[in-house]
């Protein structure tokens, strides 16, 4: 849920910045729409990949820590 909220806020802000900059630059409506949709697509793709990679890394770290703890229990029982 946190990723959806942060990604949505980031997407809204950056898309607004791109669209308002293009509109202020005097581009046509078709160019503004293309820039807005392209920005939303690229932003969604980068946010999704970043979240997937960070989740994968966090899971790998947790599994590695679990394996270390199991090794310690086997080799140094208390």
């Amino acid at each position: 849920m946190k990723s959806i909220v942060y990604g949505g806020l980031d997407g809204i802000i950056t898309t607004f910045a791109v669209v308002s900059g293009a509109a202020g630059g005097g581009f046509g409506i078709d160019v503004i729409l293309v820039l807005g949709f392209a920005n939303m697509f690229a932003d969604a793709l980068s946010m999704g990949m970043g979240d997937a990679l960070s989740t994968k890394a966090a899971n790998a770290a947790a599994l590695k820590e679990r394996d270390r703890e199991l090794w310690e229990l086997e080799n140094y029982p208390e």
Side-chain angles (χ1 to χ4, degrees), residues 18-35:
V18 167
V19 169
S20 62
F27 291 111
I29 195 76
D30 53 342
V31 173
I32 295 171
L33 287 174
V34 168
L35 288 173

Side-chain angles (χ1 to χ4, degrees), residues 1 3 6 13 27 33 39 43 46 56 58 64-65 78:
M1 186 66 174
S3 297
Y6 287 150
I13 293 168
F27 291 111
L33 287 174
N39 182 66
D43 199 26
S46 69
K56 183 178 177 182
K64 187 175 180 179
E65 177 65 19
E78 294 181 34

Side-chain angles (χ1 to χ4, degrees), residues 2-77:
K2 183 173 74 171
S3 297
I4 293 171
V5 172
Y6 287 150
L9 289 173
D10 182 61
I12 290 170
I13 293 168
T14 58
T15 301
F16 174 75
V18 167
V19 169
S20 62
F27 291 111
I29 195 76
D30 53 342
V31 173
I32 295 171
L33 287 174
V34 168
L35 288 173
F37 284 120
N39 182 66
M40 284 192 324
F41 175 74
D43 199 26
L45 185 65
S46 69
M47 283 289 190
M49 289 299 294
D51 186 46
L53 291 174
S54 74
T55 300
K56 183 178 177 182
N59 289 341
L63 289 174
K64 187 175 180 179
E65 177 65 19
R66 179 179 170 264
D67 291 342
R68 188 182 67 81
E69 290 292 335
L70 288 173
W71 181 86
E72 285 182 4
L73 283 172
E74 290 172 0
N75 294 304
Y76 298 103

